[in-house]
Amino acid sequence: MSVLKRLLAWFRPDTSRPLSQAWLAAAWMGLLANWPLWQQLNTLPGVGVGFTLAFAGMVTAATGAVLSLLAWPRLIKGVLVVLLLASGALAYFIGSYGIVFDPTMVVNMVQTDVRETRDLLSWRLFASLALLGALPAWWLLRRPAAPAQALPRRLGGNLAGFALGLVAMVLLALSVFATLSSTMRNYKSIRYMVTPLNAVYSVSIVGVRSLSGPKGPPVVIGADARLLPRPDGSKPPLLLFVVGETARGMNFSLNGYARPTNPELTKLQGPSLVSLRQVTSCGTATAASLPCMFAPQGRAGFDADKPQENLLDVLQRAGLAVLWLDNQSGCKGLCDRVPHSPTAKLPDGAAPLPAGLCSKDELGEEECFDEALLHELDKRIAALDPERLKRGLVLVMHQMGSHGPAYFKRSPPDLKPFQPECKSNTLQQCQREQVVNAYDNTLVTTDRLLTRAIGWLQARSARFDTGMLYVSDHGESLGENGLYLHGMPYAMAPKEQTHVPMILWVPEGGATAASLKPGCLGSLRDQPASHDNLFHTVMGWVGARADVYKPEWDLLAGCRR
Protein backbone atom coordinates (compact mmCIF):
# COMPACT_ATOMS: atom_id res chain seq x y z
CA MET A 1 0.00 0.00 0.00
CA SER A 2 2.84 2.41 0.83
CA VAL A 3 4.35 1.78 -2.62
CA LEU A 4 0.99 2.55 -4.26
CA LYS A 5 0.70 5.79 -2.28
CA ARG A 6 4.15 6.84 -3.40
CA LEU A 7 3.30 6.13 -7.03
CA LEU A 8 0.06 8.10 -6.73
CA ALA A 9 2.02 10.93 -5.16
CA TRP A 10 3.93 11.31 -8.40
CA PHE A 11 0.68 11.95 -10.25
CA ARG A 12 -0.90 13.97 -7.45
CA PRO A 13 2.09 15.73 -5.88
CA ASP A 14 1.82 17.90 -2.81
CA THR A 15 1.91 21.29 -4.54
CA SER A 16 2.99 23.04 -1.36
CA ARG A 17 6.39 21.34 -1.58
CA PRO A 18 9.12 23.30 -3.42
CA LEU A 19 10.32 20.24 -5.33
CA SER A 20 6.82 19.55 -6.65
CA GLN A 21 6.44 23.19 -7.68
CA ALA A 22 9.80 23.04 -9.48
CA TRP A 23 8.86 20.00 -11.54
CA LEU A 24 5.34 21.20 -12.32
CA ALA A 25 6.79 24.48 -13.57
CA ALA A 26 9.43 22.55 -15.54
CA ALA A 27 6.69 20.57 -17.28
CA TRP A 28 4.66 23.72 -18.01
CA MET A 29 7.59 25.63 -19.44
CA GLY A 30 9.21 22.65 -21.13
CA LEU A 31 6.08 21.50 -22.93
CA LEU A 32 3.96 24.62 -23.46
CA ALA A 33 6.31 27.62 -23.50
CA ASN A 34 8.47 25.86 -26.08
CA TRP A 35 5.76 25.71 -28.72
CA PRO A 36 7.95 27.67 -31.21
CA LEU A 37 10.63 25.01 -30.81
CA TRP A 38 8.18 22.16 -31.47
CA GLN A 39 6.88 24.08 -34.46
CA GLN A 40 10.43 24.52 -35.78
CA LEU A 41 11.30 20.84 -35.29
CA ASN A 42 8.19 19.87 -37.20
CA THR A 43 9.54 21.65 -40.29
CA LEU A 44 12.96 19.98 -40.26
CA PRO A 45 13.62 17.07 -42.64
CA GLY A 46 14.18 13.72 -40.99
CA VAL A 47 12.70 14.79 -37.66
CA GLY A 48 9.62 12.78 -36.76
CA VAL A 49 7.06 12.85 -33.98
CA GLY A 50 9.07 10.35 -31.94
CA PHE A 51 12.12 12.59 -31.85
CA THR A 52 10.04 15.67 -31.01
CA LEU A 53 8.43 13.85 -28.07
CA ALA A 54 11.81 12.62 -26.86
CA PHE A 55 13.29 16.10 -27.19
CA ALA A 56 10.35 17.57 -25.25
CA GLY A 57 11.06 15.07 -22.51
CA MET A 58 14.73 16.02 -22.53
CA VAL A 59 13.92 19.71 -22.21
CA THR A 60 11.50 19.07 -19.36
CA ALA A 61 13.95 16.77 -17.58
CA ALA A 62 16.84 19.23 -17.96
CA THR A 63 14.69 22.11 -16.70
CA GLY A 64 13.45 20.02 -13.78
CA ALA A 65 16.99 19.03 -12.89
CA VAL A 66 18.17 22.64 -12.76
CA LEU A 67 15.13 23.79 -10.79
CA SER A 68 15.52 20.92 -8.32
CA LEU A 69 18.72 22.52 -7.06
CA LEU A 70 16.77 25.72 -6.39
CA ALA A 71 13.79 24.05 -4.68
CA TRP A 72 14.06 25.79 -1.33
CA PRO A 73 11.03 27.29 0.45
CA ARG A 74 12.20 30.91 0.44
CA LEU A 75 13.67 30.80 -3.05
CA ILE A 76 11.70 28.66 -5.44
CA LYS A 77 8.55 30.75 -5.87
CA GLY A 78 10.45 33.91 -6.74
CA VAL A 79 12.66 32.04 -9.22
CA LEU A 80 9.70 30.34 -10.87
CA VAL A 81 7.67 33.53 -11.21
CA VAL A 82 10.58 35.22 -13.02
CA LEU A 83 11.18 32.21 -15.26
CA LEU A 84 7.49 31.76 -16.06
CA LEU A 85 7.10 35.40 -17.10
CA ALA A 86 10.34 35.25 -19.08
CA SER A 87 9.15 32.06 -20.79
CA GLY A 88 5.90 33.72 -21.80
CA ALA A 89 7.77 36.64 -23.34
CA LEU A 90 10.35 34.42 -25.06
CA ALA A 91 7.66 32.19 -26.52
CA TYR A 92 6.11 35.24 -28.16
CA PHE A 93 9.31 36.70 -29.60
CA ILE A 94 10.77 33.39 -30.76
CA GLY A 95 7.45 32.27 -32.22
CA SER A 96 6.63 35.61 -33.85
CA TYR A 97 9.98 36.76 -35.22
CA GLY A 98 12.03 33.55 -35.38
CA ILE A 99 14.76 35.08 -33.20
CA VAL A 100 16.98 33.14 -30.82
CA PHE A 101 17.94 34.14 -27.29
CA ASP A 102 21.72 34.01 -27.02
CA PRO A 103 24.20 36.19 -25.07
CA THR A 104 24.27 38.77 -27.86
CA MET A 105 20.52 39.13 -27.62
CA VAL A 106 20.84 39.72 -23.86
CA VAL A 107 23.25 42.59 -24.55
CA ASN A 108 20.82 44.01 -27.11
CA MET A 109 18.00 43.77 -24.59
CA VAL A 110 20.01 45.57 -21.89
CA GLN A 111 20.92 48.38 -24.29
CA THR A 112 17.41 48.81 -25.71
CA ASP A 113 15.82 52.16 -24.95
CA VAL A 114 12.18 53.03 -24.30
CA ARG A 115 11.44 53.80 -27.96
CA GLU A 116 12.66 50.43 -29.15
CA THR A 117 10.83 48.61 -26.36
CA ARG A 118 7.61 50.42 -27.23
CA ASP A 119 7.82 49.25 -30.85
CA LEU A 120 7.92 45.63 -29.67
CA LEU A 121 4.77 45.81 -27.56
CA SER A 122 1.57 44.22 -28.83
CA TRP A 123 -1.56 42.57 -27.50
CA ARG A 124 -0.20 39.19 -28.58
CA LEU A 125 2.82 39.71 -26.36
CA PHE A 126 0.59 40.51 -23.41
CA ALA A 127 -1.58 37.50 -24.20
CA SER A 128 1.47 35.22 -24.20
CA LEU A 129 2.68 36.75 -20.96
CA ALA A 130 -0.73 36.25 -19.37
CA LEU A 131 -1.40 32.69 -20.51
CA LEU A 132 2.08 31.19 -20.34
CA GLY A 133 3.53 33.32 -17.55
CA ALA A 134 1.14 35.23 -15.34
CA LEU A 135 -1.54 32.51 -15.08
CA PRO A 136 0.76 29.75 -13.76
CA ALA A 137 2.61 32.31 -11.63
CA TRP A 138 -0.69 33.36 -10.03
CA TRP A 139 -1.51 29.70 -9.32
CA LEU A 140 1.95 29.16 -7.86
CA LEU A 141 1.76 32.15 -5.52
CA ARG A 142 -1.51 30.82 -4.12
CA ARG A 143 0.07 27.56 -2.98
CA PRO A 144 0.30 27.20 0.81
CA ALA A 145 3.60 27.37 2.60
CA ALA A 146 5.75 24.27 2.48
CA PRO A 147 5.64 21.98 5.51
CA ALA A 148 8.66 22.02 7.77
CA GLN A 149 11.37 19.57 6.76
CA ALA A 150 14.80 18.85 8.12
CA LEU A 151 17.63 20.32 6.08
CA PRO A 152 19.34 16.98 5.27
CA ARG A 153 16.07 15.50 4.05
CA ARG A 154 15.20 18.49 1.89
CA LEU A 155 18.72 18.58 0.46
CA GLY A 156 18.53 14.88 -0.26
CA GLY A 157 15.20 15.30 -2.04
CA ASN A 158 16.54 18.14 -4.15
CA LEU A 159 19.61 16.15 -5.12
CA ALA A 160 17.41 13.18 -5.95
CA GLY A 161 15.26 15.39 -8.17
CA PHE A 162 18.38 16.67 -9.90
CA ALA A 163 19.70 13.16 -10.43
CA LEU A 164 16.34 11.94 -11.71
CA GLY A 165 16.18 14.73 -14.27
CA LEU A 166 19.75 14.14 -15.35
CA VAL A 167 19.24 10.40 -15.80
CA ALA A 168 15.98 10.88 -17.69
CA MET A 169 17.60 13.43 -20.01
CA VAL A 170 20.55 11.11 -20.76
CA LEU A 171 18.33 8.09 -21.42
CA LEU A 172 16.07 10.07 -23.74
CA ALA A 173 19.10 11.49 -25.55
CA LEU A 174 20.55 8.02 -26.05
CA SER A 175 17.24 6.76 -27.44
CA VAL A 176 17.37 9.28 -30.31
CA PHE A 177 21.09 9.94 -30.39
CA ALA A 178 21.61 9.66 -34.15
CA THR A 179 18.85 12.15 -34.99
CA LEU A 180 19.81 14.38 -32.05
CA SER A 181 23.47 14.68 -33.05
CA SER A 182 22.72 15.45 -36.70
CA THR A 183 19.95 17.92 -35.84
CA MET A 184 22.09 19.83 -33.35
CA ARG A 185 25.00 19.86 -35.77
CA ASN A 186 22.99 21.07 -38.74
CA TYR A 187 20.59 23.43 -36.93
CA LYS A 188 22.66 25.11 -34.23
CA SER A 189 20.06 27.79 -33.55
CA ILE A 190 17.79 25.19 -31.88
CA ARG A 191 19.88 25.23 -28.71
CA TYR A 192 19.03 28.93 -28.24
CA MET A 193 15.30 28.23 -28.61
CA VAL A 194 15.05 25.94 -25.56
CA THR A 195 13.07 28.01 -23.07
CA PRO A 196 13.84 28.96 -20.29
CA LEU A 197 17.27 27.29 -20.30
CA ASN A 198 18.35 29.59 -23.12
CA ALA A 199 17.62 32.60 -20.91
CA VAL A 200 19.38 31.12 -17.88
CA TYR A 201 22.47 30.27 -19.92
CA SER A 202 22.66 33.53 -21.87
CA VAL A 203 22.06 35.81 -18.88
CA SER A 204 24.63 33.86 -16.88
CA ILE A 205 27.25 34.20 -19.62
CA VAL A 206 26.71 37.95 -19.90
CA GLY A 207 26.78 38.31 -16.11
CA VAL A 208 30.04 36.40 -15.79
CA ARG A 209 31.61 38.44 -18.58
CA SER A 210 30.62 41.72 -16.97
CA LEU A 211 31.96 40.66 -13.55
CA SER A 212 35.19 39.16 -14.84
CA GLY A 213 35.90 41.87 -17.41
CA PRO A 214 38.73 44.34 -16.93
CA LYS A 215 38.02 47.39 -14.81
CA GLY A 216 39.19 50.93 -15.28
CA PRO A 217 39.64 53.05 -18.42
CA PRO A 218 39.69 51.48 -21.88
CA VAL A 219 42.99 50.33 -23.36
CA VAL A 220 44.68 53.08 -25.33
CA ILE A 221 45.14 52.42 -29.05
CA GLY A 222 46.91 54.61 -31.58
CA ALA A 223 48.96 56.46 -28.96
CA ASP A 224 51.17 57.78 -31.78
CA ALA A 225 48.23 59.15 -33.80
CA ARG A 226 49.19 62.07 -36.02
CA LEU A 227 48.17 63.90 -39.18
CA LEU A 228 50.14 63.72 -42.38
CA PRO A 229 51.47 67.11 -43.51
CA ARG A 230 49.34 68.91 -46.06
CA PRO A 231 50.45 71.44 -48.67
CA ASP A 232 50.18 75.07 -47.67
CA GLY A 233 46.82 76.53 -48.57
CA SER A 234 45.07 73.18 -48.80
CA LYS A 235 41.63 72.84 -47.26
CA PRO A 236 41.12 70.64 -44.17
CA PRO A 237 39.08 67.45 -44.66
CA LEU A 238 35.43 67.20 -43.69
CA LEU A 239 34.30 63.60 -43.74
CA LEU A 240 30.67 62.81 -43.01
CA PHE A 241 30.44 59.24 -41.73
CA VAL A 242 26.79 58.12 -41.73
CA VAL A 243 26.17 54.97 -39.67
CA GLY A 244 23.02 53.39 -41.05
CA GLU A 245 20.66 51.17 -39.12
CA THR A 246 19.22 47.82 -40.23
CA ALA A 247 19.69 48.47 -43.95
CA ARG A 248 19.94 45.47 -46.30
CA GLY A 249 22.45 45.82 -49.10
CA MET A 250 20.29 43.66 -51.35
CA ASN A 251 17.40 46.16 -51.10
CA PHE A 252 19.36 49.13 -52.46
CA SER A 253 18.53 49.86 -56.08
CA LEU A 254 22.11 51.14 -56.43
CA ASN A 255 23.09 47.50 -55.92
CA GLY A 256 20.68 46.10 -58.50
CA TYR A 257 17.45 45.84 -56.50
CA ALA A 258 14.50 46.04 -58.88
CA ARG A 259 12.55 48.63 -56.88
CA PRO A 260 13.64 52.30 -56.91
CA THR A 261 14.72 52.58 -53.27
CA ASN A 262 17.49 55.07 -54.17
CA PRO A 263 15.75 57.46 -56.57
CA GLU A 264 17.83 60.53 -55.68
CA LEU A 265 21.23 58.91 -55.18
CA THR A 266 20.86 57.17 -58.54
CA LYS A 267 20.93 60.59 -60.21
CA LEU A 268 24.27 61.29 -58.51
CA GLN A 269 25.83 57.95 -59.38
CA GLY A 270 28.98 58.42 -61.43
CA PRO A 271 32.69 59.08 -60.95
CA SER A 272 32.10 60.70 -57.56
CA LEU A 273 29.66 58.23 -56.02
CA VAL A 274 30.02 54.47 -55.81
CA SER A 275 27.91 51.88 -53.99
CA LEU A 276 29.80 48.77 -52.92
CA ARG A 277 27.71 45.66 -53.55
CA GLN A 278 29.55 42.97 -51.59
CA VAL A 279 29.90 44.28 -48.04
CA THR A 280 29.49 42.16 -44.90
CA SER A 281 28.92 43.33 -41.35
CA CYS A 282 30.79 42.68 -38.11
CA GLY A 283 27.66 41.45 -36.38
CA THR A 284 23.93 41.05 -36.70
CA ALA A 285 22.91 43.59 -34.05
CA THR A 286 23.92 47.15 -33.19
CA ALA A 287 25.44 46.19 -29.84
CA ALA A 288 27.81 43.78 -31.59
CA SER A 289 28.47 45.62 -34.86
CA LEU A 290 28.96 49.20 -33.72
CA PRO A 291 31.98 48.67 -31.42
CA CYS A 292 33.53 46.30 -33.97
CA MET A 293 33.04 48.80 -36.82
CA PHE A 294 35.12 51.41 -35.00
CA ALA A 295 37.88 48.99 -33.93
CA PRO A 296 41.10 48.37 -35.88
CA GLN A 297 41.28 44.58 -35.40
CA GLY A 298 38.37 43.53 -37.63
CA ARG A 299 35.70 41.00 -36.73
CA ALA A 300 38.06 38.04 -36.33
CA GLY A 301 40.34 39.84 -33.88
CA PHE A 302 37.88 42.06 -32.03
CA ASP A 303 37.09 41.14 -28.42
CA ALA A 304 34.07 42.96 -27.01
CA ASP A 305 35.00 41.82 -23.49
CA LYS A 306 38.22 43.87 -23.56
CA PRO A 307 37.26 47.56 -23.59
CA GLN A 308 39.52 49.70 -25.71
CA GLU A 309 39.56 53.08 -27.37
CA ASN A 310 38.16 53.34 -30.86
CA LEU A 311 38.46 55.23 -34.14
CA LEU A 312 37.01 58.42 -32.67
CA ASP A 313 39.64 58.51 -29.91
CA VAL A 314 42.45 58.02 -32.42
CA LEU A 315 41.14 60.76 -34.73
CA GLN A 316 40.78 63.15 -31.81
CA ARG A 317 44.27 62.30 -30.57
CA ALA A 318 45.63 63.05 -34.04
CA GLY A 319 44.26 66.58 -33.66
CA LEU A 320 41.03 66.46 -35.66
CA ALA A 321 37.65 67.72 -34.50
CA VAL A 322 35.17 64.90 -33.95
CA LEU A 323 31.40 65.15 -33.46
CA TRP A 324 28.86 62.34 -32.98
CA LEU A 325 25.18 63.09 -33.61
CA ASP A 326 22.76 60.38 -32.50
CA ASN A 327 19.21 59.71 -33.64
CA GLN A 328 19.26 56.23 -32.15
CA SER A 329 19.54 54.58 -28.75
CA GLY A 330 23.09 55.79 -28.13
CA CYS A 331 26.62 55.19 -29.32
CA LYS A 332 27.32 52.09 -27.17
CA GLY A 333 30.12 53.98 -25.41
CA LEU A 334 31.97 54.90 -28.59
CA CYS A 335 31.38 58.64 -28.31
CA ASP A 336 31.85 59.00 -24.55
CA ARG A 337 35.21 60.79 -24.91
CA VAL A 338 34.37 63.04 -27.88
CA PRO A 339 31.75 65.79 -28.36
CA HIS A 340 28.36 64.17 -28.92
CA SER A 341 24.70 65.05 -28.84
CA PRO A 342 21.30 63.49 -29.45
CA THR A 343 19.40 64.86 -32.41
CA ALA A 344 16.68 66.52 -30.36
CA LYS A 345 19.18 68.44 -28.18
CA LEU A 346 19.93 71.60 -30.12
CA PRO A 347 22.87 73.96 -29.56
CA ASP A 348 22.34 77.38 -28.02
CA GLY A 349 20.76 79.86 -30.40
CA ALA A 350 19.58 77.16 -32.81
CA ALA A 351 16.20 77.44 -34.50
CA PRO A 352 13.57 74.93 -33.35
CA LEU A 353 13.22 71.73 -35.31
CA PRO A 354 10.68 72.17 -38.14
CA ALA A 355 7.15 70.98 -37.45
CA GLY A 356 6.58 67.36 -38.35
CA LEU A 357 10.23 66.40 -38.09
CA CYS A 358 9.84 65.10 -34.54
CA SER A 359 6.88 63.83 -32.55
CA LYS A 360 6.10 62.43 -29.14
CA ASP A 361 4.33 59.16 -28.58
CA GLU A 362 1.72 58.34 -25.97
CA LEU A 363 4.49 57.71 -23.43
CA GLY A 364 6.02 61.13 -24.01
CA GLU A 365 9.10 59.74 -25.79
CA GLU A 366 10.34 61.91 -28.66
CA GLU A 367 11.38 60.41 -31.97
CA CYS A 368 12.71 62.35 -34.94
CA PHE A 369 13.04 61.39 -38.57
CA ASP A 370 16.68 61.13 -39.61
CA GLU A 371 16.50 64.35 -41.57
CA ALA A 372 16.68 66.12 -38.19
CA LEU A 373 20.36 65.17 -38.14
CA LEU A 374 20.98 67.91 -40.72
CA HIS A 375 19.23 70.65 -38.73
CA GLU A 376 21.51 73.51 -37.58
CA LEU A 377 24.68 71.56 -38.36
CA ASP A 378 26.71 74.75 -38.77
CA LYS A 379 25.88 75.87 -35.23
CA ARG A 380 26.82 72.45 -33.87
CA ILE A 381 30.14 72.61 -35.69
CA ALA A 382 30.79 76.18 -34.58
CA ALA A 383 30.70 75.01 -30.97
CA LEU A 384 33.70 72.71 -31.54
CA ASP A 385 37.34 73.58 -30.85
CA PRO A 386 38.35 76.05 -33.61
CA GLU A 387 41.98 74.88 -33.58
CA ARG A 388 40.88 71.32 -34.28
CA LEU A 389 38.51 72.47 -37.01
CA LYS A 390 41.46 74.05 -38.81
CA ARG A 391 42.94 70.57 -39.10
CA GLY A 392 39.71 68.86 -40.17
CA LEU A 393 36.44 67.36 -38.97
CA VAL A 394 34.96 63.88 -38.87
CA LEU A 395 31.21 64.13 -38.35
CA VAL A 396 29.40 60.90 -37.45
CA MET A 397 25.62 60.63 -37.86
CA HIS A 398 23.96 57.61 -36.26
CA GLN A 399 20.63 56.97 -37.95
CA MET A 400 17.36 55.53 -36.75
CA GLY A 401 17.29 54.22 -40.32
CA SER A 402 15.17 51.14 -40.88
CA HIS A 403 14.85 50.05 -37.25
CA GLY A 404 12.00 47.57 -36.84
CA PRO A 405 9.59 46.13 -36.29
CA ALA A 406 7.60 49.37 -36.67
CA TYR A 407 9.08 50.22 -40.07
CA PHE A 408 6.09 52.40 -40.94
CA LYS A 409 7.21 54.88 -38.26
CA ARG A 410 10.61 55.40 -39.88
CA SER A 411 9.39 57.13 -43.06
CA PRO A 412 7.50 60.46 -43.21
CA PRO A 413 4.07 60.65 -44.87
CA ASP A 414 5.49 62.18 -48.07
CA LEU A 415 8.02 59.36 -48.57
CA LYS A 416 5.90 56.23 -48.82
CA PRO A 417 5.98 55.28 -52.51
CA PHE A 418 5.44 51.57 -51.86
CA GLN A 419 1.89 50.75 -50.86
CA PRO A 420 0.13 49.25 -49.05
CA GLU A 421 2.56 49.08 -46.16
CA CYS A 422 2.36 47.10 -42.93
CA LYS A 423 1.25 49.48 -40.18
CA SER A 424 1.77 47.05 -37.34
CA ASN A 425 4.71 46.03 -35.21
CA THR A 426 3.42 42.45 -35.31
CA LEU A 427 5.00 41.72 -38.66
CA GLN A 428 3.83 38.13 -38.99
CA GLN A 429 0.22 39.37 -39.05
CA CYS A 430 0.86 41.40 -42.21
CA GLN A 431 1.27 40.04 -45.71
CA ARG A 432 4.95 39.82 -46.52
CA GLU A 433 4.56 42.25 -49.43
CA GLN A 434 3.26 44.85 -46.99
CA VAL A 435 6.22 44.28 -44.65
CA VAL A 436 8.64 44.73 -47.54
CA ASN A 437 6.79 47.87 -48.66
CA ALA A 438 7.10 49.44 -45.22
CA TYR A 439 10.77 48.47 -45.04
CA ASP A 440 11.61 49.75 -48.52
CA ASN A 441 9.96 53.07 -47.68
CA THR A 442 12.56 53.49 -44.92
CA LEU A 443 15.33 53.06 -47.49
CA VAL A 444 13.81 55.82 -49.64
CA THR A 445 13.93 57.99 -46.51
CA THR A 446 17.62 57.15 -46.05
CA ASP A 447 18.17 57.95 -49.73
CA ARG A 448 16.81 61.45 -49.22
CA LEU A 449 18.89 61.97 -46.08
CA LEU A 450 22.11 61.01 -47.87
CA THR A 451 21.28 63.13 -50.90
CA ARG A 452 20.59 66.19 -48.77
CA ALA A 453 23.71 65.48 -46.73
CA ILE A 454 25.73 65.54 -49.94
CA GLY A 455 24.08 68.85 -50.82
CA TRP A 456 25.08 70.23 -47.42
CA LEU A 457 28.65 69.06 -47.95
CA GLN A 458 28.80 70.64 -51.41
CA ALA A 459 27.76 73.96 -49.91
CA ARG A 460 30.81 73.80 -47.58
CA SER A 461 33.35 72.83 -50.23
CA ALA A 462 34.85 76.32 -50.22
CA ARG A 463 36.07 75.77 -46.65
CA PHE A 464 36.61 72.01 -46.50
CA ASP A 465 37.68 69.11 -48.68
CA THR A 466 34.43 67.21 -48.28
CA GLY A 467 33.42 63.57 -48.59
CA MET A 468 30.87 61.08 -47.33
CA LEU A 469 30.98 57.45 -46.23
CA TYR A 470 27.74 55.58 -45.50
CA VAL A 471 27.45 52.04 -44.19
CA SER A 472 24.79 50.16 -42.22
CA ASP A 473 25.55 48.36 -38.97
CA HIS A 474 23.73 45.15 -39.95
CA GLY A 475 20.93 43.88 -42.15
CA GLU A 476 17.44 42.56 -41.49
CA SER A 477 15.28 39.51 -42.08
CA LEU A 478 11.87 40.27 -43.58
CA GLY A 479 10.19 36.89 -43.26
CA GLU A 480 12.62 34.75 -45.23
CA ASN A 481 12.43 31.22 -43.80
CA GLY A 482 10.13 32.53 -41.09
CA LEU A 483 12.75 34.93 -39.69
CA TYR A 484 12.12 38.59 -38.87
CA LEU A 485 14.30 41.39 -37.49
CA HIS A 486 17.96 40.58 -36.73
CA GLY A 487 20.32 39.37 -34.01
CA MET A 488 20.89 35.77 -35.07
CA PRO A 489 24.24 34.31 -33.92
CA TYR A 490 26.72 35.30 -36.63
CA ALA A 491 27.78 31.75 -37.50
CA MET A 492 24.20 30.84 -38.41
CA ALA A 493 22.86 34.21 -39.54
CA PRO A 494 21.32 34.43 -43.02
CA LYS A 495 22.87 36.79 -45.55
CA GLU A 496 19.91 39.16 -45.15
CA GLN A 497 21.31 40.06 -41.71
CA THR A 498 24.98 40.38 -42.71
CA HIS A 499 24.90 41.87 -46.24
CA VAL A 500 24.94 45.65 -45.79
CA PRO A 501 25.15 48.69 -48.08
CA MET A 502 28.19 50.95 -48.26
CA ILE A 503 28.37 54.19 -50.27
CA LEU A 504 31.40 56.42 -50.88
CA TRP A 505 31.06 59.96 -52.21
CA VAL A 506 34.28 61.71 -53.21
CA PRO A 507 33.47 64.93 -55.10
CA GLU A 508 35.45 65.81 -58.19
CA GLY A 509 37.65 68.86 -57.81
CA GLY A 510 38.59 68.12 -54.21
CA ALA A 511 42.00 67.13 -52.91
CA THR A 512 40.86 63.61 -52.07
CA ALA A 513 39.54 63.01 -55.57
CA ALA A 514 42.70 64.47 -57.08
CA SER A 515 44.79 62.00 -55.08
CA LEU A 516 42.97 59.00 -56.59
CA LYS A 517 43.66 57.29 -59.91
CA PRO A 518 41.01 58.13 -62.54
CA GLY A 519 38.18 55.59 -62.55
CA CYS A 520 39.56 53.66 -59.59
CA LEU A 521 36.67 54.56 -57.29
CA GLY A 522 34.24 52.78 -59.60
CA SER A 523 36.39 49.64 -59.54
CA LEU A 524 35.47 49.18 -55.88
CA ARG A 525 31.83 48.52 -56.78
CA ASP A 526 32.14 44.72 -56.96
CA GLN A 527 35.15 44.33 -54.70
CA PRO A 528 34.42 42.33 -51.50
CA ALA A 529 34.57 44.54 -48.42
CA SER A 530 33.44 44.49 -44.83
CA HIS A 531 33.24 46.49 -41.63
CA ASP A 532 36.90 45.50 -41.15
CA ASN A 533 37.81 48.17 -43.71
CA LEU A 534 36.08 51.10 -42.01
CA PHE A 535 38.64 52.08 -39.36
CA HIS A 536 41.51 52.13 -41.85
CA THR A 537 39.57 53.71 -44.71
CA VAL A 538 38.53 56.65 -42.52
CA MET A 539 42.08 57.05 -41.21
CA GLY A 540 43.46 57.09 -44.73
CA TRP A 541 40.71 59.38 -46.01
CA VAL A 542 41.39 62.20 -43.53
CA GLY A 543 45.19 61.80 -43.57
CA ALA A 544 45.54 60.37 -40.07
CA ARG A 545 48.14 57.75 -39.24
CA ALA A 546 48.97 55.55 -36.23
CA ASP A 547 50.61 52.21 -35.55
CA VAL A 548 47.18 50.53 -35.77
CA TYR A 549 46.56 51.76 -39.32
CA LYS A 550 46.69 48.98 -41.93
CA PRO A 551 46.93 50.31 -45.50
CA GLU A 552 45.95 46.91 -46.88
CA TRP A 553 42.55 47.33 -45.18
CA ASP A 554 42.11 50.90 -46.46
CA LEU A 555 39.67 50.70 -49.38
CA LEU A 556 41.15 53.79 -51.00
CA ALA A 557 44.83 52.93 -50.50
CA GLY A 558 45.07 51.03 -53.78
CA CYS A 559 43.50 53.94 -55.62
CA ARG A 560 45.91 56.62 -54.45
CA ARG A 561 48.42 57.92 -56.95
Side-chain angles (χ1 to χ4, degrees), residues 156-172:
N158 290 357
L159 292 176
F162 173 76
L164 175 66
L166 203 59
V167 169
M169 182 182 67
V170 171
L171 291 176
L172 287 168

Side-chain angles (χ1 to χ4, degrees), residues 260-261 263-264 369 371 407-408 410-419 421 437-449 452:
T261 51
E264 297 186 43
F369 293 116
E371 198 172 331
Y407 305 123
F408 68 98
R410 310 283 106 89
S411 57
D414 66 322
L415 273 185
K416 294 183 181 290
F418 306 114
Q419 294 291 337
E421 67 173 0
N437 284 344
Y439 179 84
D440 283 350
N441 286 336
T442 69
L443 299 185
V444 178
T445 303
T446 291
D447 176 78
R448 184 163 76 177
L449 169 72
R452 293 187 176 181

Side-chain angles (χ1 to χ4, degrees), residues 419-561:
Q419 294 291 337
E421 67 173 0
C422 177
K423 295 187 176 181
S424 170
N425 58 357
T426 310
L427 299 179
Q428 70 278 12
Q429 299 305 307
C430 292
Q431 295 181 9
R432 186 172 182 275
E433 292 77 10
Q434 296 177 355
V435 174
V436 174
N437 284 344
Y439 179 84
D440 283 350
N441 286 336
T442 69
L443 299 185
V444 178
T445 303
T446 291
D447 176 78
R448 184 163 76 177
L449 169 72
L450 297 179
T451 303
R452 293 187 176 181
I454 288 174
W456 178 84
L457 289 167
Q458 288 174 325
R460 277 122 195 107
S461 59
R463 180 184 176 189
F464 294 101
D465 179 32
T466 60
M468 186 190 76
L469 169 63
Y470 163 82
V471 65
S472 183
D473 58 353
H474 55 79
E476 186 87 327
S477 288
L478 298 176
E480 297 89 356
N481 300 313
L483 292 179
Y484 291 90
L485 305 182
H486 52 266
M488 287 288 289
Y490 198 91
M492 60 189 74
K495 63 179 180 179
E496 289 82 7
Q497 296 187 26
T498 59
H499 178 205
V500 295
M502 181 187 291
I503 296 172
L504 286 75
W505 177 72
V506 184
E508 294 182 284
T512 301
S515 69
L516 303 180
K517 302 172 186 175
C520 189
L521 195 65
S523 69
L524 300 176
R525 181 173 290 107
D526 294 309
Q527 174 181 315
S530 72
H531 281 167
D532 294 359
N533 300 111
L534 293 176
F535 183 101
H536 311 278
T537 300
V538 171
M539 290 275 290
W541 197 322
V542 297
R545 293 295 184 271
D547 57 354
V548 290
Y549 169 72
K550 297 181 179 180
E552 66 272 20
W553 285 10
D554 180 349
L555 290 172
L556 297 179
C559 285
R560 294 193 180 96
R561 296 178 186 272

